Amino acid sequence: MKEGRLFQILYLLIERDGMTASMLAEKLEVSVRTIYRDVDALSAAGIPIYAERGKGGGVRLTEGFVLDRSLFSTDEQDAILAALRGMQAVNAVECRQALARLGGLFHRETVDWVDVDFSAWGSDAVERAQFETLKQAILRRETVAFGYYSADGNRSDREVEPARLRFKGGNWYLQGFCLLRNEWRLFRLSRIENPRSTDRPFSPRGIPPSELEPASCPQSELILRFTEQARFRIYSSFRREEITHEPEGGFTVRTSYPDGSWVLGFLLSFGPDMRVVSPPWLGRVLAEQAKKICELYEMPLKPDTRCQVMGDKIGSKTGKKAFRMNYEVVTLPATTVAGPCTRTTNQQPERIGAVWQALFSAQPDGGETYGVYTNYQDGVNGAYDAAAARKYCPGDPLPDGFQVIEIPAGNYAKFSFQGDPARDVGGFWQQVREEPLPRRFACDFERYAGEGPHGMKIEIYVGLADFCQSCGMPMQRESDYGTEADGSRSEDYCVYCYKDGKFLADCTMEQMIDFCLKIGEDAGRYPDREQAKQQMLAWFPTLKRWKTEG
């Protein structure tokens, strides 16, 4: 115990060039008398230590005193040499000579057992010079000026009081006090342009906070599906506990990311090996970005050629290379039908043909027919139930293999055209799937209503999602709905606005609009912000939450 305190006194005096006996006593939590006894013990051991009384006095070591190597254990000597090697690796100090001298002092060979290199592959002299400029500004306590690009690509000129260089998440950052924002900020070095010292000194503002990322930064909960080909990147991009290797192959990742347009570039970098499961709007935004990329290389995503023919029949305008469809929004009552049913996907059209054959075999005649699609597993990409059916009244005989199906009441997008069902409907659905509709994926159906001058009269009804009565988001999956206090589904509000019977954010309608505008802008959905805002100002007062305001 005493020996440890003697070493502490020695290290403190070397570090601070002398301390009063009362300061040492307070630091080591002993009496002043004990400190004087320790000073005598050190002196008796041959340490050149002395005490001076009066003003400016205190306990000191003689000038030029250095520690003997025997004061450090073997492990401590190795730790000192390893620390110097780490500093040399990042060019923080030029310490080759110091390493050689300490190795000789400790009588230990400086084994080069680890090679630390934080520079990027292919980094050049400019990058190393920038690192050196920032390092020198920190050591000299001079402000630095530079151009800085935010994650959204916006450039601003900054002058910063640099505090330290920080390596986190595979990237270098400058931590400092920004004179423009008047607060501590973290600057990623790869986004810093032309850093230079201003030669203006500054006084340190204390220790910077260890974490600068605001805890209140909006986060998006993501569910992503990856192919096996993306394995090597998944494990380097996400935490292990976020990754599930599915038994049938591929990976599911459940994670969260701060809102911002940069996440689009990150997800697009996985190419066709990644699909967004939730939230659905993010998948649509990625698809829009992919289309824009194709347009840069004059490679438009062409619609099915059969859709082009059908588009002419219903009066749609194809424009240059895009194809948009005309439809009307209708509100329908519930309808009951019955017919043979199968489980299928968009890659198995023969199964749908089989249920139509079964229907016509059992009921050759009977008026209007319906193609009904329900129980979607994963939107347009997963499995669903497909039925060929006719209207059904309770008490009517039900042929073997027929199922009773309820087409729910609600809002539908109605598409009408004339054509050959066997030839044209499949291609028409392909084009419908490319329409930016807020689909509910609960029930879609076709209605065949007799012959017209250009073929069968065909109506396709696409179920539309409910809209959150707080933020206006379409609720397309069961998981998009919020919950009431008893845990039941909220029919009015989404999971991002409402949980357990309470709103997650106490805000005004204007604040909600600003929040939605920011998300839409980051996602690239609002090229004209003012126009989008005016539309929201007209629409939001019709939503349930805001009808009571004012």
Side-chain angles (χ1 to χ4, degrees):
M1 188 70 175
K2 179 180 178 181
E3 288 76 8
R5 189 173 67 247
L6 295 178
F7 276 112
Q8 284 184 280
I9 291 174
L10 193 55
Y11 294 144
L12 286 169
L13 294 179
I14 292 174
E15 181 185 23
R16 306 191 183 190
D17 195 26
M19 296 175 68
T20 64
S22 60
M23 291 170 62
L24 287 167
E26 181 180 358
K27 182 74 174 177
L28 302 176
E29 298 181 348
V30 296
S31 66
V32 172
R33 180 176 294 183
T34 299
I35 293 298
Y36 281 123
R37 285 200 295 266
D38 290 344
V39 169
D40 290 339
L42 286 169
S43 179
I47 302 296
I49 187 172
Y50 63 96
E52 289 183 335
R53 298 185 180 276
K55 186 177 181 180
V59 180
R60 287 183 170 79
L61 295 168
T62 58
E63 187 175 353
F65 172 75
V66 294
L67 287 174
D68 187 83
R69 67 173 181 269
S70 62
L71 295 178
F72 297 101
S73 68
T74 299
D75 288 343
E76 290 170 336
Q77 292 174 17
D78 287 339
I80 291 172
L81 294 174
L84 283 174
R85 284 199 173 278
M87 297 298 286
Q88 175 73 31
V90 297
N91 295 318
V93 291
E94 176 51 55
C95 54
R96 290 187 182 88
Q97 190 174 17
L99 275 167
R101 288 183 177 180
L102 282 174
L105 173 64
F106 296 154
H107 286 228
R108 299 180 64 76
E109 182 181 358
T110 58
V111 179
D112 193 4
W113 63 277
V114 63
D115 182 21
V116 183
D117 188 354
F118 290 112
S119 62
W121 293 105
S123 60
D124 54 19
V126 173
E127 182 178 315
R128 292 190 290 273
Q130 289 182 345
F131 193 96
E132 178 68 18
T133 297
L134 297 173
K135 181 192 80 174
Q136 292 300 328
I138 294 171
L139 297 177
R140 296 172 183 170
R141 292 180 178 171
E142 297 173 348
T143 64
V144 288
F146 52 80
Y148 189 69
Y149 291 89
S150 68
D152 295 327
N154 297 319
R155 187 188 183 282
S156 59
D157 292 319
R158 306 295 183 98
E159 184 174 349
V160 174
E161 297 175 358
R164 57 189 176 193
L165 290 164
R166 185 176 182 188
F167 189 80
K168 183 177 181 180
N171 295 289
W172 278 106
Y173 296 87
L174 171 67
Q175 195 171 12
F177 192 87
C178 178
L179 300 181
L180 176 65
R181 306 301 187 198
N182 198 35
E183 61 181 354
W184 289 101
R185 286 297 180 97
L186 205 61
F187 301 94
R188 183 164 166 170
L189 261 61
S190 60
R191 298 201 207 115
I192 290 178
E193 179 182 70
N194 188 28
R196 57 203 179 278
S197 174
T198 65
D199 296 325
R200 286 192 286 272
F202 66 90
S203 298
R205 297 175 183 265
I207 300 175
S210 58
E211 291 294 336
L212 290 180
E213 299 81 34
S216 60
C217 179
Q219 300 271 325
S220 289
E221 299 296 326
L222 306 182
I223 302 177
L224 311 172
R225 194 77 166 84
F226 293 89
T227 66
E228 290 286 344
Q229 286 70 27
R231 176 194 293 265
F232 78 100
R233 282 198 60 195
I234 294 172
Y235 285 106
S236 63
S237 301
F238 304 98
R239 297 192 301 271
R240 292 295 176 116
E241 61 269 22
E242 297 176 331
I243 303 170
T244 301
H245 192 187
E246 302 295 349
E248 69 274 14
F251 301 84
T252 299
V253 173
R254 291 172 172 83
T255 186
S256 60
Y257 271 87
D259 292 336
S261 59
W262 69 270
V263 76
L264 299 179
F266 171 69
L267 295 178
L268 284 169
S269 69
F270 287 93
D273 292 319
M274 188 282 303
R275 175 170 56 84
V276 175
V277 177
S278 179
W281 64 262
L282 182 57
R284 293 194 296 271
V285 172
L286 287 177
E288 292 170 4
Q289 293 295 316
K291 288 181 180 179
K292 291 178 181 178
I293 293 171
C294 288
E295 290 171 0
L296 290 176
Y297 299 96
E298 296 184 351
M299 296 167 56
L301 300 180
K302 297 180 180 179
D304 190 287
T305 54
R306 291 174 297 177
C307 298
Q308 191 73 37
V309 175
M310 298 308 301
D312 293 336
K313 290 182 180 179
I314 65 173
S316 297
K317 295 181 179 180
T318 60
K320 293 181 180 179
K321 299 178 181 178
F323 179 80
R324 298 305 301 271
M325 309 179 73
N326 294 333
Y327 63 88
E328 61 177 319
V329 176
V330 296
T331 302
L332 301 179
T335 302
T336 303
V337 297
C341 183
T342 187
R343 190 74 173 165
T344 186
T345 68
N346 290 330
Q347 287 72 46
Q348 299 169 305
E350 69 277 2
R351 292 195 175 186
I352 298 177
V355 295
W356 280 105
Q357 290 177 3
L359 174 69
F360 291 133
S361 295
Q363 295 180 342
D365 301 307
E368 293 180 349
T369 54
Y370 293 77
V372 186
Y373 309 99
T374 58
N375 298 323
Y376 287 91
Q377 181 182 27
D378 187 19
V380 298
N381 300 304
Y384 54 87
D385 290 342
R390 297 187 191 275
K391 279 191 176 181
Y392 175 77
C393 294
D396 288 351
L398 195 66
D400 291 340
F402 276 38
Q403 297 182 24
V404 177
I405 303 163
E406 179 87 4
I407 297 176
N411 294 327
Y412 292 80
K414 176 184 176 182
F415 300 83
S416 302
F417 65 98
Q418 295 180 28
D420 183 341
R423 183 192 67 211
D424 300 322
V425 171
F428 194 89
W429 268 112
Q430 175 64 32
Q431 185 60 40
V432 168
R433 285 193 286 269
E434 294 178 2
E435 282 290 302
L437 290 170
R439 296 180 63 181
R440 187 172 183 175
F441 293 106
C443 177
D444 305 316
F445 65 98
E446 307 148 3
R447 176 174 173 266
Y448 299 91
E451 290 290 332
H454 301 292
M456 178 72 73
K457 294 179 181 177
I458 303 170
E459 297 171 348
I460 290 182
Y461 295 84
V462 180
L464 298 178
D466 296 324
F467 289 89
C468 173
Q469 296 297 299
S470 173
C471 69
M473 183 192 87
M475 298 181 287
Q476 299 177 282
R477 305 286 192 281
E478 186 65 26
S479 59
D480 290 341
Y481 288 82
T483 55
E484 298 294 350
D486 60 0
S488 63
R489 186 178 88 170
S490 169
E491 298 299 330
D492 296 320
Y493 302 110
C494 74
V495 67
Y496 304 106
C497 291
Y498 195 75
K499 184 179 180 181
D500 298 333
K502 297 178 182 178
F503 290 110
L504 298 180
D506 184 13
C507 63
T508 65
M509 184 184 76
E510 287 73 21
Q511 289 171 330
M512 177 62 76
I513 288 175
D514 288 338
F515 179 76
C516 293
L517 281 170
K518 183 180 184 305
I519 292 177
E521 283 182 308
D522 290 343
R525 294 200 300 268
Y526 302 141
D528 188 336
R529 187 182 193 279
E530 189 56 33
Q531 182 182 15
K533 184 174 183 178
Q534 292 305 315
Q535 291 173 344
M536 288 185 183
L537 286 171
W539 181 41
F540 270 55
T542 68
L543 301 179
K544 181 177 178 179
R545 182 179 183 183
W546 312 116
K547 282 183 180 179
T548 58
E549 278 204 359

